[in-house]
Amino acid sequence: MSRNNNNNNNNNGNNHKSSSSIIKPLTSSNTNNNNNNNTKPKSKSLPTSHAFRKSSPASLGAIKDDSGVLGRVRVAVRLRPRNAEELVADADFADCVELQPELKRLKLRKNNWDSDTYEFDEVLTESASQKRVYEVVAKPVVESVLDGYNGTIMAYGQTGTGKTYTLGRLGEEDISDRGIMVRAMEDILADISLETDSVSVSYSQLYMETIQDLLDPANDNISIVEDPKTGDVSVPGATLVEIRNQQSFEELLRIGEAHRFAANTKLNTESSRSHAILMVHVKRSVIGKDLPFSNEGLNNSHLVKTRNPPMVRKGKLVVVDLAGSERINKSGSEGHTLEEAKSINLSLSALGKCINALAENSSHVPVRDSKLTRLLRDSFGGTARTSLVITIGPSPRHRGETASTIMFGQRAMKVENMLRLKEEFDYKSLARKLDIQLDKLIAEHERQQKAFERDIESVTKEAQKKISEVEKSYVDALEASGNFEILRLQKVLEDELHQKEKLEKDMALLQSQLVQLSFEADETRRNLDSGEPGKVVGALDSLTSQIREPRQNDSGTGDKASIATLFEQAEDADVRIHAVKVVANLAAEETNQQKIVEAGGLTSLLSLLKNSEDETVHRVAAGAIANLAMNETNQELIMAQKGISLLSMTAAQAEDPQTLRMVAGAIANLCGNDKLQTRLRNEGGVKALLGMVRCRHPDVLAQVARGIANFAKCESRASTQGTKAGRSLLIEDGALSWIVQNANNEASPIRRHIELALCHLAQNEANAKDLISGGALWELVRISRDCSREDIRSLAHRILSSSPSFQSELRRLRIKH
């Protein structure tokens, strides 16, 4: 039989009068006042220590440990006013209960002169408004669900005492009559953002030990699934509807209520014959900040972002409208209605056994005796925050049922749950966003590629057209000039051939000199390998004298020649490159570096960077400078001759990865000199390093990472010695975003240098705020746990343990360390 909601209001006699004043929900101050009350409960009342342990969103009675928050089940009692039938039948009798709401007590009369007193978390009189009931019973649970916890609101009581009125009333005729379900959804929708959060609902009933979908009646045998890891209980077979507004939710409740089983009994003309279970799943995103870093190698419109994975909090609210307990002789049930009553009483009995076992801390809780107890496994003794409202009537004829309901509530107040925050990383959402961004970048790349191809095609056609015009003009000019012009051109050609022969002879002479230089360099290297330094010096002197001889012969002076003479005489590009390579090979040996500098090699190499347009010359010269920059004295000479500016200019113009690797290596060596930090940064050294990441070649990135690590190490040392204060110059120049982005790079050399750089930056407390806001804290935690090098891992762990700023942020994020 389907329930008629319009008639339910009148037939149940459950109309509750609205209270003219709204009383605030129970607070800790009320609890303390009640604990100090001198009135002692009688033997059947709950002990005071249990009766006054309250739970709230922030402090649920609250013993905290690493796994959750301890919170007792809260129980409120609500008295239904007399209905029309009771006003007549019990006119000569007093109510069987007397409420003392200010003391949170009720008295159950045994007779005219004796009564039992019981204490609850809240006592609601027959005049309590629906809003008042929601605020003291349900609102704290709803707030906990919005914070990421599970919550349960349940109504228990005899048939016809107002359970459905309390929970499921829609308030269509009078909005003040709205029940807990409607008001809870109003608060949830008001608190979430529909753009980033979601709310979904399932509505089912437990009828004759089968779970049936109230939104799809054909789905009438749904299984219960328990997560073996978390113990969470779910009904995945039930229809799950996403809620976007209050109207759609109320329509869903109407549909479900129309399909719920009800019957006419002596106690209630619309008696619920099933337990209704409303499950509300709330998914909330806690979005981390995106940190944009402009990559100079990409189009300016593109940004590379480092992302902290967004956090997701998943709370579940379960609202349970239990079918009323009843005695067969009073309800008059027979036939199929009798079978329904037996099934209801059996499931409620199983629930009572579980409550008793939990209240007495029994080693065995018979959860599997009924599907109802399996569904409520998380609500009693689990991880949910639970509020129970027990409904009673005033009639003395039903004193036994009222006493049974009160004792159920008293036992439930002894049950304690361990609340746990349902929070996890939303990697799927982040992956979807990155996929979308990748698709956009691919599409943009394809558009640019097509535009580039069209431009190339256009330029090619234009060039071919001009070539054709020039060829035609040339032919016409030959025909017009005649034989005289041909003879003149032949003479010019002969002169050119003679000049070419002379140049070839000069080039052969220079090549022979370079062969001799190469031989001397190889001999020097062999002497180094054999450990004969005397021969090395002699070989270098011989090489220097060979370079000096042409200048002495030309000038006739005794002045000391420089290596620049060799570079100047090598007019052919291949010869010049070979000469620079010889000097670079010699510079790789520390014992040769002073001789090279004395011979003017450093000045000549820097001059090549400035004046040469050949990128191969730039690459070899930068490699030689990088070798010389390994010596501290040479580092100061390089800076004095504006070497960092020339290296920065070369880095900005170069495209070849090997050239950039050499330049980055030279700057990285300079970054390791404590005396040159400020000057190197002011002359653009740091920005030149960061600019070279556009290449993306792993060898280049490894040198950039090494330079940043050297710079950060010098800064850390200066900060420790007290010679430097304030934020890192690296952070001021925008290096932090790239550092965080590459902290977990797949390439081991890059990752190792970046991890060292992060640790050195973190040693200065002045950098802590930038590191936290830039996402570096997550990487420091990862390094302290997963880094392959024990020394770096220990350094990261020590920094996190000693920094007050990092410790505070870790506690805020609830990250163990």
Side-chain angles (χ1 to χ4, degrees), residues 763-777:
Q763 285 183 302
N764 185 356
E765 187 69 16
N767 298 331
K769 183 177 180 181
D770 293 291
L771 293 174
I772 291 171
S773 64
L777 179 58

Side-chain angles (χ1 to χ4, degrees), residues 656-716:
D656 176 46
Q658 295 307 316
T659 304
L660 292 172
R661 179 173 70 87
M662 296 299 180
V663 174
I667 297 177
N669 290 339
L670 295 173
C671 286
N673 191 322
D674 299 79
K675 303 175 183 177
L676 306 177
Q677 292 273 292
T678 304
R679 185 174 176 185
L680 186 144
R681 185 257 185 157
N682 291 340
E683 294 184 13
V686 174
K687 288 193 177 293
L689 271 180
L690 295 177
M692 284 184 276
V693 303
R694 69 182 188 276
C695 177
R696 296 189 177 181
H697 193 283
D699 291 342
V700 178
L701 297 182
Q703 292 299 325
V704 172
R706 182 170 71 86
I708 290 176
N710 287 344
F711 198 98
K713 182 178 181 180
C714 291
E715 281 195 324
S716 175

Side-chain angles (χ1 to χ4, degrees), residues 120 192 395 551 669 715 754 792:
F120 289 94
I192 67 169
S395 175
R551 183 169 179 174
N669 290 339
E715 281 195 324
I754 291 298
I792 300 177

Side-chain angles (χ1 to χ4, degrees), residues 60 63 68-74 150-152 358 376-387 412 414-420:
L60 299 159
I63 299 171
V69 180
L70 195 63
R72 176 178 58 76
V73 174
R74 288 175 50 87
N150 287 347
T152 300
L358 290 168
L376 297 178
R377 181 174 186 173
D378 194 45
S379 305
F380 292 95
T383 63
R385 180 175 187 180
T386 301
S387 281
K414 298 181 181 180
V415 177
E416 291 183 337
N417 296 346
M418 182 62 68
L419 278 66
R420 289 187 178 89

